Amino acid sequence: MATNLDYYAVLEVSRDADGTEIKKAYRRLAMKYHPDRNPGDAEAENRFKEINEAYDVLKDDQKRAAYDRFGHAAFEGGGPGGAGGFDFGGGGLGDIFEQMFGDMMGGRRGGRRAGADLQVQVSITFAEAFSGVKKQISVPTRVTCESCDGTGSADKNQPAEVCPSCHGAGKVRAQQGFFFVERPCPTCHGSGRLIRNPCKVCHGTGTVEKNRTLEVAIPAGVEDGTRIRLSGEGEAGGAGVTPGDLYVHISVEPHPLFQRDGANIYCRVPVRMTQAALGTEIEVPVVDGSRAKVKIPAGTQTGETLRLRGKGFSVLRSSARGDMYIQVVVETPRHLTRRQRELLEEFETEGGGHDKGSPESTGFFSKVKDFLEGKL
Ligand SMILES: [Zn+2]
Ligand SMILES: [Zn+2]
């Protein structure tokens, strides 16, 4: 072990460098002189040891203060790195690099182990979307194996052992070029456990595939394409694992009478020509299965819309309700009886098409006149 190094010179920093500067310098130099980058280069290896020795002292405020006051005498009777001085072998190096680059490599230890998320599609009727509904759904999922109580072992007296390769971590660290990366343990396939006598039912996994029935409460007002998340109702994933989530995708079947736009409902209602002319009251269906009376004013035209306040869908997470709109379609009668024909002819003679009585025509024909005269 080198004993008379100027640690500041080794790290190429000034004596008043702060912790960040020291760390930065160490990273740069350690990368440069790392033995993986300089295979067979004894000098680089030596430099690398010196850099680590210097950093070991300067990164630690107490050791640094002692070194500043007493120099190397501060560490006599043992190296700065402990009894054996700086230890280049063993796990020491790996730990340094794991600390330095672990985050960069996309996380190292920890991270929640979770079962898979599941997706199911549920189709409901227009009326069910209106009123809200509870649906039984069948979810294919992995559940705890009953045969072995999830232990995965056929013999309850010989439960799973901690995996000797990864000591239960489920992951092993491997060097890949310059970096250390974590991989699932090949011995236990990431479970961290080793089973000598696997359960015949679940093959040692502790879980089995099963259809689980679940009740989903679908709220009133739900729209086509809505996704509901049921936290923790996804795949079990085995012992010691947080279950995944279940996503229920809802599709709403179209309705032969009603269309929907947000919370509003639209319904086309045919009205006889005479009803539209004279005015009347009609009954219309409401999505909740009831009926509502609607006044059709005399002179109603095709395409005119009448509003039924509050007869639409519930607005999710609110007590508000949408409206229902009746779109009037005035019907022209076909297959007239002789008498009907006489009456309509009489109606026409009486001035059925007079200007004031036909608002659409008035506007239309005055525009036609303007068009033909070259004004439009
Ligand atoms: Zn293992
Ligand atoms: Zn089992």
Side-chain angles (χ1 to χ4, degrees), residues 188-354:
C188 62
H189 306 290
S191 70
R193 303 174 312 140
L194 209 62
I195 295 153
R196 303 281 176 202
N197 185 12
C199 166
K200 302 282 178 293
V201 179
C202 64
H203 310 288
T205 57
T207 60
V208 286
E209 183 125 321
K210 201 180 171 188
N211 274 345
R212 199 160 44 106
T213 305
L214 207 68
E215 193 179 69
V216 187
I218 297 169
V222 74
E223 283 191 65
D224 187 51
T226 302
R227 194 177 75 162
I228 296 176
R229 175 168 158 264
L230 299 176
S231 176
E233 297 289 2
E235 214 159 79
V241 175
T242 318
D245 296 333
L246 174 67
Y247 290 96
V248 182
H249 296 262
I250 293 162
S251 62
V252 181
E253 293 162 13
H255 196 278
L257 283 178
F258 305 110
Q259 287 83 47
R260 179 175 181 184
D261 181 18
N264 295 330
I265 295 172
Y266 293 83
C267 181
R268 279 162 66 89
V269 178
V271 174
R272 288 196 302 278
M273 179 187 74
T274 42
Q275 289 178 306
L278 301 170
T280 186
E281 197 177 69
I282 58 166
E283 260 192 352
V284 294
V286 178
V287 69
D288 64 10
S290 67
R291 288 157 182 273
K293 282 191 157 64
V294 181
K295 225 173 136 68
I296 305 288
T300 296
Q301 305 294 318
T302 277
E304 281 188 8
T305 301
L306 305 163
R307 179 160 75 165
L308 293 175
R309 211 178 270 279
K311 296 283 187 193
F313 275 83
S314 299
V315 178
L316 281 181
R317 288 177 290 278
S318 145
S319 58
R321 286 278 296 269
D323 299 328
M324 179 171 170
Y325 291 92
I326 305 298
Q327 298 169 308
V328 176
V329 181
V330 178
E331 270 189 317
T332 308
R334 282 181 184 161
H335 311 297
L336 301 174
T337 63
R338 181 176 303 200
R339 177 72 183 132
Q340 282 175 325
R341 197 173 178 85
E342 282 171 11
L343 286 169
L344 286 178
E345 279 168 354
E346 200 175 319
F347 173 80
E348 191 63 17
T349 320
E350 195 60 33
H354 71 88

Side-chain angles (χ1 to χ4, degrees), residues 34 52 61 64 96 115 155 201 283 314 369:
H34 192 279
N52 278 297
D61 287 344
R64 186 179 173 185
I96 289 168
D155 182 356
V201 179
E283 260 192 352
S314 299
K369 187 166 165 280

Side-chain angles (χ1 to χ4, degrees), residues 9-151:
V10 168
L11 289 184
E12 299 173 6
V13 292
S14 66
R15 296 194 82 81
D16 54 5
D18 65 17
T20 315
E21 283 174 72
I22 287 169
K23 192 174 177 180
K24 239 171 99 179
Y26 168 68
R27 266 187 201 210
R28 182 174 57 81
L29 294 168
M31 295 269 270
K32 187 172 168 190
Y33 292 105
H34 192 279
D36 275 5
R37 291 197 157 181
N38 304 277
D41 184 340
E43 203 182 316
E45 193 181 316
N46 197 42
R47 267 296 261 142
F48 187 70
K49 284 185 198 178
E50 289 173 4
I51 290 157
N52 278 297
E53 185 185 321
Y55 184 60
D56 192 58
V57 171
L58 297 189
K59 75 175 179 196
D60 182 314
D61 287 344
Q62 258 186 330
K63 285 184 189 172
R64 186 179 173 185
Y67 173 71
D68 286 346
R69 286 184 70 186
F70 307 112
H72 286 273
F75 310 116
E76 265 157 22
F86 186 77
D87 182 12
F88 182 35
L93 183 63
D95 285 341
I96 289 168
F97 279 86
E98 189 187 56
Q99 256 175 24
M100 274 175 58
F101 302 115
D103 295 339
M104 206 170 96
M105 294 301 290
R108 35 201 253 262
R109 302 209 178 102
R112 186 179 74 126
R113 281 181 70 200
D117 290 338
L118 295 172
Q119 322 271 341
V120 288
Q121 188 83 34
V122 173
S123 183
I124 62 173
T125 66
F126 196 87
E128 286 171 337
F130 174 79
S131 56
V133 67
K134 285 191 163 73
K135 280 274 169 186
Q136 304 282 329
I137 56 169
S138 182
V139 186
T141 185
R142 298 198 76 85
V143 296
T144 303
C145 173
E146 282 174 15
S147 175
C148 63
D149 290 331
T151 62

